[in-house]
Amino acid sequence: MLTNMGDREAQLRAFDETKLGVKGIVDAGVTTIPSIFIHPISKRPLPQKTNTTNVDDARFQFPIIDLRVSENDLDHKKKVVDKIREASETWGFFQVINHGISDEVTEDTFKGVKEFFELDDEVKKGYYSRDYANKKVTYHSNTDLYTGLATNWRDTIACTMVPNPPHPDEFPPPCREILPEYTSQVMKLGKVLFGLLSESLGLQQTHLCDIGCAEGLNVVGQYYPACPQPELTMGTAKHADSVFLTILLQDQIGGLQVLHQDHWVDVPPTPGALVINIGDHLQLVSNDKFKSVEHKVLANYKGPRISVASFFTTFYQETSTRFGPIKELLSEENPPKYRENTAKEYNTYFLEKGLDGTFPLLHFRL
Ligand code: OGA
Ligand code: NI
């Protein structure tokens, strides 16, 4: 199964040129996965029993937070802020319920993304691109195809929605109405979350938004086709998110796992809940108070699995906003741990390294 690098490169190019992604391979009816998708043994999922923890184990109860807060009930509000602080400092992840995004909107979002991937091949190919910096809507397979260590069993449609959304014509028809609607609701929720996160850092409610954490939003539909040999590959290799914050909508298939106290813990699909996680850039501005935690997605027999990740960042766009550890959090005992950078600098470095590479945060460490 050893392929030399030149061979792998040629196979990646051939795969890229099909413009049909992993779904194209599945549609062709393969029963064994092409070698570019085979991950080294050490990175593959372990047999289920030892790989995942039992979610009934009280130590590993994945945090779930009810966001229904009334500004007048200060006691309850304080409890929510405390729970968010605790989860952000330990898990780097939590789920939220009563988040204000209706089931109808989330269902339509899943439907729009699914219908995009199921469009006619020739129509879908027209959206295929790796010009992430200049195109607002790109469909591709493996954002880090040529830099990542291994190829993942997943296709992607990525839309830059904030600050400058695509023209309606740039969206594929199944996503044209729903993605702007979903975006406006995610932005509202994002502002609520950044408010609660600011308070849990002991800052003014508007602090994280004021410094620019909600300046950009990318909404990314992930499509994980059913895989004939899920034990040999990954849906998404281990990584932490480069961004400030991610709001993730996952369907009922499961497979998302988070590294917690040296265990890979399942993030249980929970109807109506959204998964929230702290990204590297929020860890950086919080000077390591909040944790950006590694996670991965297993490939599966049952697919397609669909998820929609909303990333708060301006990614590769040129912006003048610079980010460093927040001054109000620093003291003699807590000096800044990172040098200032822009979102573009950080994300570009992250993409160069690819998923499952080194820890990109270390590169910015003082
Ligand atoms: C990501 C990610 C998880 C998922 O896109 O960064 O971790 O469930 N996605 O698709
Ligand atoms: Ni992620």
Side-chain angles (χ1 to χ4, degrees), residues 49-284:
K49 271 199 195 90
T50 52
N51 188 37
T52 57
T53 47
N54 180 349
V55 288
D56 292 337
D57 183 332
R59 278 183 311 163
F60 298 127
Q61 209 62 62
F62 194 84
I64 182 147
I65 301 178
D66 186 341
L67 281 188
R68 200 192 312 263
V69 245
S70 134
E71 289 292 331
N72 303 327
D73 185 352
L74 290 181
D75 256 12
H76 182 221
K77 168 96 184 287
K78 184 174 174 307
K79 279 195 194 123
V80 173
V81 170
D82 288 345
K83 277 191 188 163
I84 287 189
R85 180 186 310 108
E86 159 99 33
S88 303
E89 289 179 4
T90 55
W91 288 82
F93 264 83
F94 51 95
Q95 299 204 77
V96 291
I97 52 169
N98 292 314
H99 43 64
I101 304 184
S102 70
D103 290 349
E104 193 188 346
V105 167
T106 56
E107 284 310 313
D108 287 352
T109 304
F110 278 129
K111 188 161 163 269
V113 168
K114 183 160 191 282
E115 282 177 14
F116 166 72
F117 285 103
E118 290 170 0
L119 281 175
D120 197 66
D121 284 351
E122 291 310 309
V123 177
K124 203 167 68 163
K125 279 183 184 177
Y127 296 94
Y128 200 86
S129 171
R130 293 189 182 279
D131 190 1
Y132 314 129
N134 297 302
K135 293 194 81 164
K136 293 202 171 148
V137 176
T138 64
Y139 148 59
H140 51 268
S141 184
N142 285 259
T143 311
D144 62 341
L145 186 69
Y146 296 105
T147 55
L149 294 175
T151 314
N152 291 309
W153 200 257
R154 180 193 70 227
D155 298 331
T156 297
I157 180 169
C159 305
T160 301
M161 301 301 293
V162 175
N164 303 306
H167 184 277
D169 293 346
E170 289 176 74
F171 288 106
C175 301
R176 194 167 288 161
E177 273 177 38
I178 189 62
L179 281 196
E181 171 65 26
Y182 184 62
T183 296
S184 82
Q185 306 231 356
V186 165
M187 284 306 287
K188 269 191 217 150
L189 173 60
K191 285 180 182 157
V192 170
L193 289 167
F194 280 122
L196 294 164
L197 288 161
S198 299
E199 288 188 61
S200 73
L201 287 169
L203 302 166
Q204 291 292 322
Q205 198 170 26
T206 59
H207 199 108
L208 290 172
C209 285
D210 291 345
I211 64 170
C213 294
E215 250 175 43
L217 186 78
N218 266 60
V219 177
V220 176
Q222 311 280 27
Y223 187 90
Y224 300 86
C227 181
Q229 295 176 299
E231 66 287 356
L232 299 183
T233 187
M234 289 297 295
T236 302
K238 171 168 75 90
H239 69 285
D241 294 352
S242 59
V243 307
F244 290 103
L245 193 72
T246 305
I247 297 182
L248 181 87
L249 183 59
Q250 67 162 335
D251 70 11
Q252 297 306 305
I253 288 194
L256 174 60
Q257 298 186 331
V258 172
L259 192 58
H260 182 67
Q261 296 182 11
D262 285 335
H263 293 259
W264 285 105
V265 181
D266 289 326
V267 181
T270 308
L274 292 166
V275 180
I276 313 294
N277 67 290
I278 308 291
D280 288 354
H281 236 170
L282 192 50
Q283 175 168 339
L284 185 147

